Amino acid sequence: MKEIFDNYVETSFDGYQQATFKFKQFKINYEKFLPKDKKSLVLDIGIGRGEMLSCMRDWGFNYQGVDISPSTVKFCQSHKLKCEVTDDTVQWLLNNRKKFSLITCLDVLEHVPQNQTINFLKAIKSSLSNGGVAIIQVPNLQSPYGYLHHFNDFTHVSGFVEHSLRQVLLAAGFKQIELYGFEEIFATSLKQRLRLALRFFYRRAVRFLRALNANPNPKILDPVIFAVARK
């Protein structure tokens, strides 16, 4: 995997620029969970092209980013974003105990081998201040076409649904956990409102067919889910 991670921006994204649509998505999905005190320290793990870091900066927070990929850090630093490379994310977190009021970890946990997942989440918890919040975003394998997200990246080695995401967070010691579907559609145009209306009926049909076949029928069918876990 090192060959991919060392050049992650070049090998894993569709261009050498930020995905600006994510700014709106992150505002809708995540801004409400950030601390009210703008002086609070917040951290993004696995920074990608820095969209979450840009949001943290633009929302006025004292932020930091960390990643194992030199190419993502170089890219984000070229956008004047505060971030650094680490060879060992778990140790970096353990060296920064009780420092951050909020930690985001977006599309990262699926890259972590199963035998390291719990320790990784424990390290995140250790780096949160008392009452701190972790936001963990992953592809949702219980969505109708969840495999498209999961197998889109060769470095994905773990997969999650609602139950398993809650399961690993509980095992890591988080007590208060809320799960949400990541909303990707903004109802700001007639076309988008039509998409939302059609999606409602499509998802009802999916749930009906799963119930008919006595399959597990979890609540969230969005292609991406996230957990808000409080220390």
Side-chain angles (χ1 to χ4, degrees):
M1 299 294 188
K2 187 176 186 298
E3 292 84 355
I4 295 178
F5 284 128
D6 282 353
N7 300 282
Y8 200 70
V9 175
E10 294 79 7
T11 62
S12 304
F13 294 112
D14 56 1
Y16 205 73
Q17 66 280 327
Q18 289 186 318
T20 55
F21 64 88
K22 289 188 177 183
F23 300 151
K24 181 68 172 178
Q25 289 180 341
F26 290 165
K27 183 174 181 63
I28 289 173
N29 287 280
Y30 295 140
E31 187 178 23
K32 57 181 172 287
F33 297 112
L34 270 77
K36 293 182 179 180
D37 182 4
K38 293 295 182 73
K39 295 180 181 179
S40 301
L41 290 174
V42 295
L43 172 70
D44 185 40
I45 300 172
I47 57 179
R49 289 179 291 182
E51 291 90 357
M52 190 70 240
L53 292 180
S54 293
C55 287
M56 289 172 167
R57 178 194 62 194
D58 295 345
W59 297 340
F61 285 94
N62 186 5
Y63 71 94
Q64 172 69 34
V66 64
D67 203 298
I68 65 170
S69 170
S71 76
T72 64
V73 171
K74 180 181 178 181
F75 176 89
C76 291
Q77 288 178 343
S78 74
H79 285 71
K80 310 301 182 185
L81 296 167
K82 292 189 292 185
C83 53
E84 62 182 84
V85 178
T86 178
D87 293 329
D88 188 337
T89 306
V90 168
Q91 190 58 54
W92 190 96
L93 291 165
L94 294 175
N95 291 342
N96 289 274
R97 292 178 185 270
K98 298 184 177 181
K99 184 174 181 179
F100 300 99
S101 295
L102 177 132
I103 296 175
T104 55
C105 187
L106 311 182
D107 297 328
V108 172
L109 200 61
E110 63 271 22
H111 298 269
V112 179
Q114 287 182 322
N115 64 348
Q116 300 174 28
T117 299
I118 306 301
N119 282 339
F120 180 75
L121 291 171
K122 284 181 176 179
I124 290 176
K125 182 172 177 284
S126 76
S127 198
L128 287 170
S129 57
N130 293 333
V133 174
I135 297 177
I136 311 295
Q137 173 186 302
V138 294
N140 181 14
L141 290 185
Q142 69 198 21
S143 68
Y145 295 99
Y147 61 88
L148 296 175
H149 282 259
H150 183 70
F151 291 108
N152 189 53
D153 191 326
F154 183 72
T155 63
H156 290 178
V157 293
S158 298
F160 296 92
V161 298
E162 284 177 71
H163 182 268
S164 58
L165 183 55
R166 183 186 297 275
Q167 186 180 32
V168 294
L169 286 165
L170 286 171
F174 288 96
K175 302 299 183 184
Q176 185 179 344
I177 303 164
E178 299 165 339
L179 296 174
Y180 301 89
F182 183 84
E183 183 55 73
E184 298 179 297
I185 300 174
F186 322 128
T188 55
S189 68
L190 178 60
K191 181 180 179 180
Q192 289 169 330
R193 288 195 291 270
L194 179 60
R195 285 181 66 192
L196 286 172
L198 293 174
R199 188 181 71 179
F200 171 79
F201 292 105
Y202 170 69
R203 289 182 176 178
R204 289 199 67 175
V206 169
R207 291 189 177 97
F208 171 76
L209 291 172
R210 288 181 175 178
L212 189 66
N213 287 285
N215 286 326
N217 210 349
K219 177 183 177 182
I220 302 174
L221 295 180
D222 300 83
V224 174
I225 55 176
F226 65 94
V228 178
R230 302 181 188 275
K231 183 173 180 178

